[in-house]
Amino acid sequence: MKSGVLQYLTPDFYLISDNRKEPAMRYSLMCKSFNGSEVLDCEKVSVNPENSQYTFLRYPCSASITTHTLPQGQRLDITLSFHEDTKVPMNFSFSMEAGQWEKGNYVLMPGAVYNGNRFTSLPLPYPPYYAPPQNSQLTDAEVITSIPHLDIEKTQSRISLLSGDMASSLCGFYDLNDQSGSVLLSEHQCGGYYTGFTVDENQVDRQASFVLSVPGVRENTQYFFGDQNDGQGFRPDVSAPSQDTGALFKQGETLTLTACVFHWQQISLPDFFKQVNGSKTTLEIPKLFYNVPFYKAYITIKEKYQRENFIEEGYYSVGTDWNIPQQCWQAGWIGGGMNSYPFLLEDTSEARQRALSTLRFIFSRLQHPSGWVFGMYGNGKFYGDGFDSNSDTILLVRKNADLLYFVLKQLLWLSENHHSTIEFEQPVKALCDAFVRLFQKYGQLGQFIDMATEEIVIGNSAGACMAVGALALASEYFQSAEYLDVAERLGEYYYNNYLVKGMLNGCPGEICQAPDSEAAFAMLESYVQLYETTRKSIWLSYAEYTCEIAMTWVMSYDFVFPAHSTAAKRGVHSSGTVFANAQNKHSAPGICTLSGNSLLKLFRFTGNSKYLQDLHAIAHSLPQYVSLAEDPEFTLEKKYLPPGYMNERVQTSDWEGKESVGEFLYGSNWPEVSMLLTFVEVPGVYVDFTSRTLQVFDHVECYVTQWDQDSVHLEMYNPTSYSTVVTLLADERTNTRSVTHNYFGNMKMVPLSAGERIQIELQK
């Protein structure tokens, strides 16, 4: 194998590693041949700044490189030309190699790997519930299942993913010692093949390689979640046999791989996330599309909820198969006590009455004497969140944090609209007090507790971070300085123990303490609420940092699904969907389980329109996944989803098998709640008179034809095939109290038929 001495690409292409001014970054090109996913041969060629032509000795191809300068980086168009047919499958790679490597460097692969996923990994069956020994510390290392990760102790380890395993097609790292960041970025497809990204760490040589490949080949093993061949049952496994292989190329064929390399000097970790989000659309910019209006999606789900989600005991269920307890009641998380909120705001008859009935049922039937609310209930029986654990008092704390936040929003709406809330105040206060007691006892909220003893069973998680926003809101409702004090102390706790590490984790109850998007967006919601309550600038700065982490979980491009797949046939746009977590490697419609209106508030507080664009990506993507009577969604089970159903899977990854990419599962899922919340919390058209900003979130076109001092003239067009009602919000962002916990009543409702174009005037 000819490797030679690795050179440097240009003076812009290296980092200063220490006081000796020694270059720390090197680059190379590589060809590999394969038998299946096993490497047969490899040839590596160093990239030299004085040469743009490279010939491989053992492969019938040559490469040429054209470079373009980017802000703080370079774009390389690398064209591979074949002068003979290849005899065995092969792939081609560009490698960025960092010297003076330290395990403390923060490794990022968006939507998949945070801080290298460098946690304690155990081969746990699904659903995993690992309670540490009783003498262990609540601050012991986080536990993850067998998912892609860099090892805590081993000197050599590797993470190898396909582009569809990530929210953005890039990988990189932040060097905490040098305060510098480096990223390798490409497109998710090249020449019809999905690209691959590998991080290869070799602590013996103090080197780490960040490798971009086409076709992407996960060598020997890959991550697979399902029934394992080793007889160990249904579980996640990072060591499953890889199904990847290289490709055969013909004489005269060419393949152009585009790589962008970014280096940022003298930046903080928050700056690193900001730079990553700013660069991730360098090569792949999502296309604007119009599909299903918000109102059409909302009404379809609402009708389904009245038809299939109200249990005669008196509450809105979280699913439709009531033979399964988990689909009857689950507090917070996937909708329990949250799904009633949109109907309370929007409806005036049966759905609103059922929303009130749900609140009554929660606090008359589901509350433990300690004040906590049971995590699961179905058909007269309580269930704990510990899965096989026998105790029905084991609670995923996040569930009650979500529940409390949304119950308080409902109580505030009731009191503001002259409805009595007396029956709810004592039980809700008891839940607030339970959070206060737990924090005062432990200085944290943990991940799982025993409600009966109020002991933390599993700690070391940011999963309950929504409690920060909930207690801030409770301080407003109950006029309690104690609740606000605990909210602020909790806010600092999560910042110092999680945000400074660039990782938020443990919101879902079945991923152990893996990083996840739900914790990131819940933390964002909480800091925004804390700032809204206190107006202290520190919480706004924390919110802006949290937002950058959260947005790395949002898909930044439109994945090209296999042509035969359901997603391809439906013309699905994956941009704006949100990756679930580092274990469950699917993207999903919306945030579990929020509207993302914290992003609207961030714009109001900062004036930065980037946050409106972030919200547009998430909210605009949602309605296309609602199964409609006119356009039902086909599933892997060979049957159509009924009207109003949404499935949580947006499968760009083959984590459940290659046949699952671009397919949907049968069943009613939590994205329905995200869509309901979006309609009542994200205006279809938003106008800010302070900055003269117009932002359209809904699936309509809208233009300003004239600004006046106290009004704006708009032209609106509905390009979809559905009649709709568009919500318009006229705002002055300097009016800090005009858009707080509930503002649905401030929105103007504008009917718009399919294909209709209208002129309207919106008053200030």
Side-chain angles (χ1 to χ4, degrees):
M1 183 185 306
K2 178 182 172 70
S3 59
V5 178
L6 296 179
Q7 303 290 326
Y8 311 116
L9 190 58
T10 74
D12 295 326
F13 266 62
Y14 64 85
L15 294 175
I16 305 303
S17 62
D18 54 33
N19 291 332
R20 292 173 298 167
K21 307 297 182 185
E22 182 179 321
M25 202 70 71
R26 301 179 295 191
Y27 302 87
S28 61
L29 306 178
M30 219 168 358
C31 286
K32 288 184 179 180
S33 53
F34 295 91
N35 177 19
S37 64
E38 181 183 356
V39 177
L40 296 176
D41 192 15
C42 173
E43 183 176 351
K44 187 175 182 179
V45 178
S46 61
V47 171
N48 188 308
E50 299 175 359
N51 183 18
S52 62
Q53 302 292 324
Y54 301 89
T55 300
F56 291 92
L57 301 181
R58 299 204 298 275
Y59 291 85
C61 57
S62 59
S64 63
I65 300 178
T66 303
T67 63
H68 308 272
T69 301
L70 300 172
Q72 297 176 298
Q74 294 277 345
R75 167 177 169 160
L76 295 83
D77 293 317
I78 311 167
T79 299
L80 201 64
S81 301
F82 293 87
H83 50 79
E84 292 179 17
D85 292 355
T86 56
K87 305 243 181 336
V88 293
M90 63 166 286
N91 79 349
F92 174 68
S93 302
F94 172 77
S95 178
M96 176 179 82
E97 295 150 9
Q100 304 299 310
W101 182 257
E102 300 285 348
K103 273 185 179 284
N105 290 341
Y106 184 104
V107 174
L108 173 69
M109 304 176 84
V113 177
Y114 291 78
N115 204 12
N117 289 353
R118 214 184 287 272
F119 315 117
T120 300
S121 177
L122 300 174
L124 300 171
Y126 185 85
Y129 179 79
Y130 178 77
Q134 289 190 347
N135 61 351
S136 64
Q137 299 294 314
L138 293 176
T139 55
D140 282 355
E142 292 89 346
V143 171
I144 56 176
T145 55
S146 180
I147 65 175
H149 65 282
L150 296 177
D151 200 88
I152 297 176
E153 298 176 353
K154 292 179 181 177
T155 56
Q156 292 181 279
S157 57
R158 167 188 286 197
I159 298 173
S160 191
L161 305 175
L162 296 184
S163 53
D165 295 324
M166 303 184 294
S168 298
S169 304
L170 64 89
C171 61
F173 71 98
Y174 176 74
D175 187 321
L176 281 84
N177 293 325
D178 280 354
Q179 292 188 307
S180 61
S182 299
V183 158
L184 172 61
L185 175 148
S186 186
E187 297 165 296
H188 81 286
Q189 250 194 351
C190 173
Y193 305 105
Y194 294 125
T195 50
F197 290 81
T198 298
V199 178
D200 204 339
E201 178 181 80
N202 186 337
Q203 197 62 29
V204 175
D205 297 333
R206 293 193 66 191
Q207 179 173 296
S209 299
F210 295 79
V211 184
L212 162 67
S213 302
V214 58
V217 178
R218 293 159 295 186
E219 296 170 12
N220 302 313
T221 60
Q222 71 175 73
Y223 180 60
F224 175 69
F225 195 144
D227 288 313
Q228 301 297 331
N229 295 329
D230 59 8
Q232 297 299 309
F234 185 86
R235 63 183 175 88
D237 181 19
V238 76
S239 61
S242 173
Q243 304 300 308
D244 300 337
T245 189
L248 293 169
F249 296 93
K250 295 289 187 182
Q251 179 181 353
E253 190 172 350
T254 61
L255 182 72
T256 299
L257 178 66
T258 298
C260 295
V261 181
F262 295 95
H263 299 306
W264 302 292
Q265 300 282 2
Q266 295 302 304
I267 61 171
S268 64
L269 185 57
D271 291 334
F272 174 67
F273 281 103
K274 188 174 183 179
Q275 295 285 5
V276 167
N277 283 322
S279 64
K280 63 189 180 184
T281 56
T282 300
L283 297 177
E284 297 183 296
I285 301 174
K287 292 188 174 81
L288 181 62
F289 67 99
Y290 300 96
N291 186 291
V292 178
F294 286 0
Y295 180 76
K296 173 67 177 179
Y298 174 83
I299 288 297
T300 305
I301 297 171
K302 178 184 175 182
E303 290 172 350
K304 175 258 185 184
Y305 255 75
Q306 309 319 308
R307 186 176 65 245
E308 300 184 47
N309 280 77
F310 189 74
I311 293 181
E312 289 183 0
E313 284 182 273
Y315 67 95
Y316 281 118
S317 66
V318 295
T320 56
D321 187 349
W322 299 339
N323 294 315
I324 302 173
Q326 291 91 333
Q327 293 203 29
C328 294
W329 165 262
Q330 289 201 57
W333 189 6
I334 57 172
M338 305 161 76
N339 49 19
S340 52
Y341 173 60
F343 303 139
L344 192 67
L345 270 62
E346 178 271 333
D347 194 70
T348 56
S349 55
E350 182 182 53
R352 178 178 288 177
Q353 292 308 310
R354 287 177 167 183
L356 290 168
S357 175
T358 299
L359 289 175
R360 293 189 181 102
F361 186 83
I362 293 168
F363 292 108
S364 65
R365 185 74 179 85
L366 303 178
Q367 193 166 27
H368 187 271
S370 61
W372 301 101
V373 174
F374 279 93
M376 278 195 281
Y377 167 86
N379 304 310
K381 185 178 179 181
F382 297 110
Y383 299 85
D385 289 327
F387 305 111
D388 291 334
S389 171
N390 292 323
S391 176
D392 61 9
T393 56
I394 297 297
L395 173 70
L396 176 67
V397 190
R398 174 263 175 97
K399 287 186 170 182
N400 274 217
D402 289 355
L403 176 67
L404 179 59
Y405 182 67
F406 275 90
V407 163
L408 284 161
K409 291 175 83 165
Q410 291 171 82
L411 295 195
L412 283 160
W413 184 89
L414 288 169
S415 61
E416 289 164 0
N417 288 273
H418 313 295
H419 295 272
S420 174
T421 58
I422 294 174
E423 62 182 303
F424 302 118
E425 290 187 357
Q426 272 309 114
V428 173
K429 196 171 188 304
L431 179 54
C432 294
D433 293 341
F435 274 104
V436 170
R437 285 195 307 273
L438 187 67
F439 178 73
Q440 289 175 339
K441 181 178 180 180
Y442 288 101
Q444 64 165 283
L445 299 178
Q447 187 180 26
F448 289 87
I449 64 168
D450 187 322
M451 291 188 298
T453 61
E454 296 200 317
E455 293 177 310
I456 292 180
V457 180
I458 302 176
N460 211 4
S461 162
C465 61
M466 186 63 92
V468 173
L471 289 172
L473 207 54
S475 74
E476 293 187 35
Y477 184 82
F478 291 108
Q479 293 296 294
S480 168
E482 182 183 37
Y483 294 161
L484 184 57
D485 176 65
V486 173
E488 293 195 89
R489 289 164 64 193
L490 262 175
E492 284 291 352
Y493 166 80
Y494 286 121
Y495 178 81
N496 292 326
N497 289 276
Y498 296 94
L499 275 173
V500 295
K501 301 174 185 176
M503 190 273 295
L504 292 149
N505 71 331
C507 251
E510 32 70 75
I511 66 166
C512 291
Q513 286 97 51
D516 72 283
S517 62
E518 299 169 31
F521 278 102
M523 192 78 262
L524 170 61
E525 188 91 10
S526 280
Y527 282 138
V528 167
Q529 182 58 59
L530 201 49
Y531 176 72
E532 188 174 283
T533 299
T534 66
R535 300 294 153 169
K536 293 181 180 178
S537 60
I538 188 170
W539 305 124
L540 185 57
S541 66
Y542 286 4
E544 291 199 88
Y545 174 25
T546 306
C547 181
E548 298 299 341
I549 296 177
M551 288 305 298
T552 64
W553 291 93
V554 180
M555 286 200 76
S556 59
Y557 66 95
D558 287 323
F559 186 83
V560 177
F561 292 98
H564 64 271
S565 68
T566 301
K569 292 173 183 176
R570 289 179 67 86
V572 163
H573 294 253
S574 67
S575 58
T577 60
V578 184
F579 258 77
N581 53 72
Q583 174 187 278
N584 303 341
K585 295 215 57 58
H586 63 85
S587 201
I591 304 162
C592 184
T593 306
L594 298 164
S595 69
N597 72 322
S598 53
L599 293 162
L600 176 64
K601 293 184 178 184
L602 271 187
F603 164 74
R604 300 189 76 255
F605 297 148
T606 66
N608 188 346
S609 60
K610 167 193 177 298
Y611 299 123
L612 296 179
Q613 296 157 18
D614 291 343
L615 178 56
H616 174 272
I618 298 168
H620 195 81
S621 176
L622 262 172
Q624 64 180 318
Y625 298 100
V626 181
S627 190
L628 304 174
E630 308 93 323
D631 186 19
E633 191 170 273
F634 195 62
T635 66
L636 275 174
E637 290 84 349
K638 306 302 181 187
K639 54 184 178 179
Y640 288 98
L641 283 179
Y645 278 50
M646 292 181 75
N647 185 258
E648 68 175 347
R649 296 288 205 274
V650 179
Q651 296 277 47
T652 61
S653 167
D654 63 356
W655 69 300
E656 293 181 302
K658 288 191 183 297
E659 69 281 358
S660 69
V661 177
E663 302 300 340
F664 303 92
L665 298 183
Y666 190 85
S668 171
N669 290 154
W670 58 264
E672 296 162 20
V673 183
S674 297
M675 186 67 245
L676 294 173
L677 292 171
T678 295
F679 181 71
V680 298
E681 291 190 327
V682 178
V685 174
Y686 173 75
V687 175
D688 172 39
F689 280 87
T690 301
S691 60
R692 293 203 165 185
T693 295
L694 169 73
Q695 176 66 56
V696 181
F697 297 106
D698 204 345
H699 287 245
V700 296
E701 296 177 4
C702 189
Y703 310 96
V704 173
T705 57
Q706 181 180 325
W707 283 104
D708 295 328
Q709 186 173 353
D710 296 317
S711 67
V712 61
H713 297 263
L714 303 173
E715 179 178 303
M716 192 183 305
Y717 170 63
N718 179 4
T720 77
S721 56
Y722 304 102
S723 293
T724 187
V725 176
V726 184
T727 56
L728 277 71
L729 181 62
D731 186 24
E732 285 186 280
R733 71 174 191 84
T734 50
N735 181 353
T736 56
R737 292 297 173 185
S738 66
V739 177
T740 54
H741 38 273
N742 300 310
Y743 47 88
F744 180 74
N746 298 339
M747 296 188 197
K748 180 182 178 70
M749 313 291 281
V750 179
L752 197 60
S753 299
E756 184 180 8
R757 187 183 301 273
I758 61 171
Q759 309 286 329
I760 60 170
E761 182 180 4
L762 187 63
Q763 298 292 328
K764 190 173 183 178

